[in-house]
């Protein structure tokens, strides 16, 4: 399990908060590559290949920045593979650009940029991917610098030159792997403890609370006044009997409605959405697992408690697709601009996107609509 999930999947908001650091590292790496290529070369070499190396670094940075967007989550494996491939190719281009008796490995910016390249991807890929990517880039550094040191020997042995070129990447790869492994382990333990409060228990408690509230309301508004009125009378009339039957029928209807209500309806009602409409006649929403329900509940709480949202304008539809997946369509009336809607709900949408990768969001002034799907278990 720990080898397949990422920090971004365990903590989407944390990964979203760390993204500015990824952007800064990437931009700083590109800028440094440009400056070193122009001002700090022992060997004049090929300006064209230097430019190619810088462009490859810029391309790898762009891949990570785009793929790490919370609205494209989760970070796909193909993006990580492309990132590593571009950096590895940039290593070869950079050494080829200064082909000659270069005495200072630090002048080759790629020996450090391959290291920071692994760090940039640490929150977004599992530790196994980081190990493979780091080893590949360290090998690229070692081989290219080892070849250069063999062709143009100097006082430092070839093996030492190769190791020094690969060392930064190996060190930061170990750091990134330890981070990913430790984070996943801690997150799993937290989830296991949280799971002790089961979905079934949460639903049971929610239903019990809802039933208690509805029954208390009936008792306070109907039953208690009725009995108080009967105490003042000497005889019970047919009208009293009819009223008693009506109150009993009302209690029975509340009990039946509570028994038929899904956890989604319970959650919406609990957040003040009694006027909202939920269309799920087959109870398909019950197929969501504990993690998915937690994310959906959190989003519902944020939406229905927002001062700009009218609960009466909230509508959710749950329907089965021909491929046996289930679609959830949510629409909410929001008294705000599209910018304001993004500002209020983007963090929650980021978490939803990690949980439901096919999430489709439409934001326009005064309205928020989204659609996602899941497998029936």
């Amino acid at each position: 399990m720990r080898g397949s999930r990422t920090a971004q999947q365990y903590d989407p908001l944390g990964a979203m908060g760390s993204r500015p650091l990824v952007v800064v590292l990437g931009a700083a790496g590109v800028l440094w590559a440009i400056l070193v290529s122009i001002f700090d070369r022992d060997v004049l070499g090929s300006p064209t290949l230097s430019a190619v190396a810088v462009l490859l670094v810029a391309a790898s940075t762009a891949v990570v920045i785009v793929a790490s967007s919370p609205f494209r989550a989760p970070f796909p494996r193909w993006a990580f593979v492309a990132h590593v491939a571009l950096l590895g190719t940039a290593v070869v281009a950079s050494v080829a650009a200064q082909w000659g008796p270069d005495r200072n490995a630090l002048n080759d910016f790629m020996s450090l940029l391959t290291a920071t390249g692994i760090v940039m991807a640490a929150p977004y890929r599992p530790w196994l991917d980081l190990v493979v990517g780091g080893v590949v880039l360290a090998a690229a550094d070692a081989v290219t610098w080892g070849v250069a040191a063999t062709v143009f020997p100097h006082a430092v042995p070839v093996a030492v030159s190769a190791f020094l070129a690969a060392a930064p990447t190996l060190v930061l790869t170990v750091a990134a792997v330890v981070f990913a492994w430790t984070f996943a382990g801690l997150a799993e333990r937290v989830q296991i403890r949280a799971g002790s409060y089961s979905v079934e228990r949460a639903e049971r408690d929610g239903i019990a609370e809802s039933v208690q509230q509805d029954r208390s309301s009936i008792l306070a508004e109907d039953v208690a006044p009725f009995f108080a009125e009967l105490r003042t009378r000497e005889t019970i009339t047919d009208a009293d009997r009819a009223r008693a039957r009506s109150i009993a029928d009302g209690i029975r209807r509340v009990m039946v409605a509570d028994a038929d209500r899904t956890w989604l309806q319970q959650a919406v009602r609990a957040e003040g959405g009694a006027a909202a409409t939920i269309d799920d006649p087959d109870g398909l929403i019950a197929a969501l697992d504990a993690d998915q329900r937690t994310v959906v509940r959190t989003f519902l709480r944020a939406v229905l408690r927002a001062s700009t949202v009218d609960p009466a304008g909230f509508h959710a539809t749950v329907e089965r697709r021909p491929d046996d997946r289930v679609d959830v369509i949510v629409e909410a009336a929001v008294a705000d601009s599209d910018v304001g809607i993004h500002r209020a709900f983007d963090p929650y949408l980021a978490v939803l996107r990690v949980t439901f990768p096919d999430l489709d969001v439409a934001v326009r002034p005064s309205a928020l609509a989204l659609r996602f799907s899941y497998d029936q278990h």
Side-chain angles (χ1 to χ4, degrees):
M1 184 70 170
R2 241 188 258 188
S4 61
R5 296 193 67 181
T6 68
Q8 183 187 43
Q9 291 172 309
Y10 281 117
D11 183 15
L13 294 183
M16 182 175 169
S18 68
R19 188 165 179 259
L21 177 61
V22 172
V23 175
V24 169
L25 280 176
V30 173
L31 178 60
W32 185 41
I34 293 173
L35 294 177
V36 171
S37 296
I38 296 174
F39 300 111
D40 194 18
R41 288 289 199 181
D42 288 346
V43 179
L44 181 60
S46 168
T48 300
L49 286 176
S50 291
V52 169
V54 172
L55 290 175
L56 289 169
V57 171
S60 73
T61 298
V63 168
V64 175
I65 291 175
V66 172
S68 64
S69 168
F71 309 111
R72 293 183 176 87
F75 193 105
R77 174 167 288 174
W78 68 260
F80 181 69
V81 171
H83 173 57
V84 171
L86 288 167
L87 284 179
T89 307
V91 170
V92 176
S94 179
V95 172
Q98 58 172 343
W99 192 250
D102 191 349
R103 305 304 184 195
N104 185 2
L106 293 179
N107 287 343
D108 187 348
F109 50 85
M110 288 309 306
S111 63
L112 293 180
L113 292 189
T114 53
T116 58
I118 294 298
V119 173
M120 289 169 61
Y124 307 108
R125 294 308 305 165
W127 69 270
L128 286 174
D129 284 11
L130 298 176
V131 168
V132 174
V135 169
V136 167
L137 291 177
D141 288 326
V143 170
T144 51
W145 267 93
V147 170
T150 301
V151 176
F152 304 101
H154 48 86
V156 179
V158 172
V160 173
S161 294
F163 174 77
L164 291 177
T169 301
L170 291 174
V171 170
L172 290 189
T173 294
V174 170
V177 168
V178 169
F179 161 77
W181 170 269
T182 304
F183 191 100
L186 291 174
E188 283 183 10
R189 286 195 288 273
V190 169
Q191 285 190 340
I192 290 171
R193 291 176 182 175
S196 63
Y197 184 76
S198 66
V199 171
E200 291 77 11
R201 179 182 172 190
E203 287 187 1
R204 183 174 66 249
D205 291 349
I207 291 173
E209 181 181 359
S210 176
V211 170
Q212 182 179 6
Q213 289 175 349
D214 289 341
R215 291 180 183 175
S216 297
S217 178
I218 293 175
L219 287 172
E221 297 176 5
D222 296 322
V223 177
F226 177 59
F227 282 140
E229 186 178 335
L230 287 180
R231 289 179 59 191
T232 64
R233 299 184 183 181
E234 295 181 358
T235 60
I236 297 177
T237 66
D238 290 340
D240 293 329
R241 296 186 183 91
R243 186 177 174 189
R245 283 194 296 271
S246 175
I247 293 173
D249 288 341
I251 294 175
R252 187 162 47 249
R253 283 194 298 271
V254 168
M255 293 176 67
V256 171
D258 282 320
D260 292 339
R261 194 173 291 146
T262 65
W263 71 264
L264 179 61
Q265 292 168 321
Q266 296 286 352
V268 170
R269 283 172 59 88
E271 301 304 334
T277 56
I278 308 296
D279 184 12
D280 182 16
D282 298 324
L284 299 174
I285 201 68
L288 286 181
D289 62 28
D291 289 346
Q292 292 170 329
R293 293 187 190 195
T294 300
V295 170
V296 173
R297 283 178 185 272
T298 303
F299 171 73
L300 292 176
R301 182 178 297 113
V303 171
L304 292 172
R305 291 187 179 182
S307 60
T308 56
V309 174
D310 178 10
F314 182 92
H315 180 72
T317 301
V318 185
E319 57 189 19
R320 184 181 286 107
R321 295 192 333 201
D323 60 359
D324 206 34
R325 287 180 65 82
V326 177
D327 271 340
V328 179
I329 303 98
V330 177
E331 298 172 332
V334 187
D336 204 346
S337 65
D338 53 349
V339 174
I341 294 173
H342 274 295
R343 186 182 300 114
F345 302 119
D346 272 358
Y348 303 97
L349 297 176
V351 178
L352 274 171
R353 188 173 297 280
V354 170
T355 308
F356 305 99
D358 65 345
L359 176 70
D360 181 43
V361 179
V363 177
R364 56 186 184 277
S366 302
L368 169 66
L370 55 90
R371 176 191 293 264
F372 58 86
S373 68
Y374 58 90
D375 287 319
Q376 286 186 271
H377 303 300

